[in-house]
C-alpha cells in the first residue's frame, strides 16, 4: 500500500462516519417531515429534537474532514469534482445551511406559523440534501467526472440514471438509519409506543430500500457497466456482507433488539461504501484518473498521515465521549 492509498483509506473512514452519523441526522429530518400535523406529530418531533440536538452539528466535522483530505491529498481530483459537480454541491451546501438554521430557530420563535415555516424548511432540507450528495456520488462512480477544470458536463454529470439511483438510495438509507436510531432512543426514554412507531417505519423503509437496490442493479448494468462489473467482481464480497447485515438488521428489528440492529444497519451501509471503493480501485475518478495520478507529492502524503494520526488522538476521544454521554437517558444525563 502506498502513502496515497493510506490517505485515501483514511478519507473513506471519514466518509463512512459522515454517512452513518450525518445520515441518521438527515433521516431524522425526513421523519420530521412525515410526522403529521402539529398536534399529532408533536411526540415524534420532540423525540427527534431530543435525539439530534446534542450532536447534529458535530456530524459535519466528518464532511469537512473529507473535503480537506481530498483537497490537500488529491488536488486534481478535488478540482475536477468541484468544477464539474458544483451545482449539486452548492445545492447540498445550501440545504445544510437552511436545515441548520431552521432547526435552531424553530425552537426560539414564539409564533406557531413561523415555527411551522422553520419546521418545513428543516424537514425539506433534510430530504433534498442527501439526495444531492447521493447524486454527486453517482456522477463520480459512473465515470461522468473526467480530469480537468469543468471538463465534464455540469448537467448530465449529476442528472442521469446512476445519480438518480444514488440520490434515492441516500435518502432511503438515511431514513432507515434514523428510524433504527430513534427506536433505540425512544425505548431508552421508556416510550415503547413511540419506539413501535419508529420500528414500523424502519421495517417499511428497509423494504423500500431493498426494492430500490434491486432495481439499481439493472440501472447500473445499463448506465454504468464498469461500476457494475467492479461491484459484481472485486466488490462482491462486501456487497454480500451488506446484504446479510441488512437482513440481520430487519430480523433484529422484528425481535425488537434495537441496539444490535443499530450495529448491523451500520455494517450494511459501511460495506456498501467500501464495496464502491474496492469496485473502482485503483481509480479515484474512473475510468481515467488513478489514485497515483491524482495524489499530491510524497512529502505531502507523509505529512498528512502524521497530521491525521495526531489529530485522531486529539479528536476521537472527545467525539466518543460526546456520543456516549448522549446515549444515556435524559434522567441519567441530568444527574451527571
Amino acid at each position: 500500500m502506498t502513502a496515497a492509498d493510506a490517505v485515501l483509506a483514511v478519507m473513506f473512514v471519514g466518509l463512512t462516519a459522515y454517512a452513518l452519523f450525518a445520515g441518521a441526522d438527515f433521516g431524522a429530518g425526513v421523519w420530521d417531515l412525515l410526522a403529521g400535523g402539529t398536534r399529532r406529530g408533536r411526540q415524534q418531533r420532540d423525540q427527534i429534537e431530543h435525539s439530534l440536538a446534542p450532536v447534529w452539528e458535530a456530524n459535519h466535522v466528518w464532511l469537512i474532514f473529507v473535503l480537506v483530505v481530498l483537497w490537500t491529498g488529491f488536488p486534481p481530483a478535488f478540482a475536477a469534482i468541484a468544477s464539474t459537480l458544483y451545482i449539486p454541491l452548492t445545492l447540498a451546501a445550501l440545504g445544510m445551511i437552511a436545515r441548520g438554521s431552521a432547526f435552531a430557530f424553530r425552537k426560539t420563535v414564539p409564533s406557531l406559523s413561523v415555527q411551522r415555516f422553520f419546521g418545513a424548511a428543516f424537514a425539506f432540507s433534510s430530504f433534498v440534501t442527501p439526495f444531492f450528495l447521493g447524486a454527486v456520488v453517482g456522477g463520480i462512480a459512473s465515470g461522468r467526472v473526467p480530469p480537468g477544470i469543468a471538463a465534464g458536463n455540469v448537467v448530465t454529470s449529476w442528472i442521469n440514471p446512476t445519480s438518480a439511483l444514488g440520490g434515492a438510495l441516500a435518502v432511503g438509507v438515511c431514513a432507515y438509519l434514523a428510524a433504527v436510531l430513534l427506536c433505540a432512543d425512544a425505548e431508552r426514554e421508556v416510550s415503547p409506543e413511540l419506539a413501535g412507531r419508529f420500528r414500523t417505519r424502519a421495517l417499511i423503509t428497509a423494504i423500500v430500500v431493498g426494492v430500490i437496490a434491486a432495481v439499481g442493479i439493472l440501472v447500473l448494468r445499463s448506465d454504468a457497466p464498469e461500476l457494475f462489473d467492479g461491484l459484481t467482481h472485486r466488490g462482491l464480497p462486501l456487497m454480500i456482507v451488506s446484504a446479510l447485515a441488512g437482513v440481520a438488521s430487519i430480523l433484529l428489528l422484528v425481535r425488537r433488539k434495537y441496539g444490535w440492529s443499530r450495529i448491523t444497519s451500520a455494517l450494511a451501509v459501511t460495506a456498501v461504501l467500501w464495496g464502491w471503493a474496492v469496485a473502482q480501485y485503483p481509480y479515484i475518478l474512473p475510468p481515467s484518473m488513478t489514485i497515483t495520478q491524482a495524489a499530491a507529492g510524497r512529502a505531502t502524503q507523509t505529512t498528512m498521515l502524521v497530521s491525521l494520526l495526531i489529530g485522531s488522538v486529539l479528536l476521537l476521544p472527545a467525539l466518543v465521549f460526546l456520543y456516549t454521554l448522549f446515549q444515556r437517558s435524559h434522567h441519567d444525563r441530568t444527574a451527571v
Side-chain angles (χ1 to χ4, degrees):
M1 174 183 287
T2 65
D5 290 336
V7 171
L8 190 62
V10 173
M11 190 193 81
F12 252 87
V13 171
L15 183 62
T16 303
Y18 183 71
L20 295 177
F21 293 115
D25 191 355
F26 287 129
V30 173
W31 296 126
D32 187 288
L33 177 66
L34 302 176
T38 303
R39 186 183 301 273
R40 185 165 61 91
R42 179 180 299 276
Q43 186 183 19
Q44 295 179 56
R45 292 191 175 97
D46 286 346
Q47 180 61 56
I48 289 169
E49 286 198 5
H50 177 67
S51 298
L52 292 188
V55 297
W56 68 274
E57 196 167 12
N59 293 328
H60 292 298
V61 169
W62 296 112
L63 178 60
I64 296 169
F65 170 81
V66 170
L67 292 176
V68 170
V69 173
L70 181 61
W71 181 8
T72 308
F74 307 93
F78 179 88
I81 293 169
S83 59
T84 295
L85 295 169
Y86 69 89
I87 295 177
L89 288 171
T90 300
L91 292 173
L94 292 174
M96 293 175 197
I97 294 169
R99 182 178 182 276
S101 301
F103 183 73
F105 291 146
R106 180 171 65 173
K107 297 181 291 184
T108 60
V109 294
S111 170
L112 180 60
S113 60
V114 180
Q115 287 179 5
R116 287 175 174 171
F117 171 77
F118 282 129
F122 167 70
F124 181 72
S125 299
S126 298
F127 183 87
V128 299
T129 302
F131 179 85
F132 289 130
L133 293 175
V136 167
V137 171
I140 296 170
S142 60
R144 289 182 165 93
V145 183
I149 304 298
N153 189 297
V154 298
V155 176
T156 59
S157 59
W158 66 281
I159 299 180
N160 57 75
T162 302
S163 288
L165 172 65
L169 281 175
V171 174
V173 167
C174 288
Y176 178 68
L177 288 173
V180 174
L181 168 75
L182 291 166
C183 283
D185 280 4
E187 184 181 52
R188 187 172 57 251
E189 298 297 333
V190 195
S191 181
E193 187 268 339
L194 188 57
R197 290 186 191 178
F198 286 121
R199 169 177 171 268
T200 300
R201 293 185 175 190
L203 290 171
I204 293 173
T205 306
I207 295 172
V208 172
V209 171
V211 171
I212 294 174
V215 174
I217 295 174
L218 301 178
V219 172
L220 293 181
R221 186 173 184 178
S222 61
D223 187 62
E226 293 184 358
L227 176 61
F228 174 81
D229 183 70
L231 289 173
T232 54
H233 289 84
R234 293 191 304 274
L236 183 60
L238 286 166
M239 294 298 102
I240 293 174
V241 169
S242 179
L244 293 176
V247 172
S249 181
I250 293 173
L251 295 176
L252 289 166
L253 279 173
V254 171
R255 298 186 60 189
R256 292 180 170 81
K257 303 293 185 180
Y258 300 133
W260 285 105
S261 183
R262 277 185 175 187
I263 296 173
T264 52
S265 60
L267 176 60
V269 175
T270 300
V272 167
L273 284 174
W274 285 84
W276 162 43
V278 171
Q280 71 175 44
Y281 185 84
Y283 294 99
I284 192 169
L285 290 180
S288 55
M289 180 179 280
T290 66
I291 297 171
T292 302
Q293 291 171 338
R298 181 173 180 80
T300 300
Q301 300 289 340
T302 303
T303 303
M304 283 193 66
L305 287 174
V306 174
S307 300
L308 291 171
L309 177 61
I310 296 173
S312 65
V313 172
L314 298 175
L315 177 63
L316 291 181
L319 286 175
V320 170
F321 176 73
L322 176 67
Y323 291 132
T324 302
L325 177 63
F326 287 100
Q327 287 304 297
R328 301 175 182 175
S329 68
H330 177 71
H331 174 75
D332 291 340
R333 292 202 301 268
T334 303
V336 172

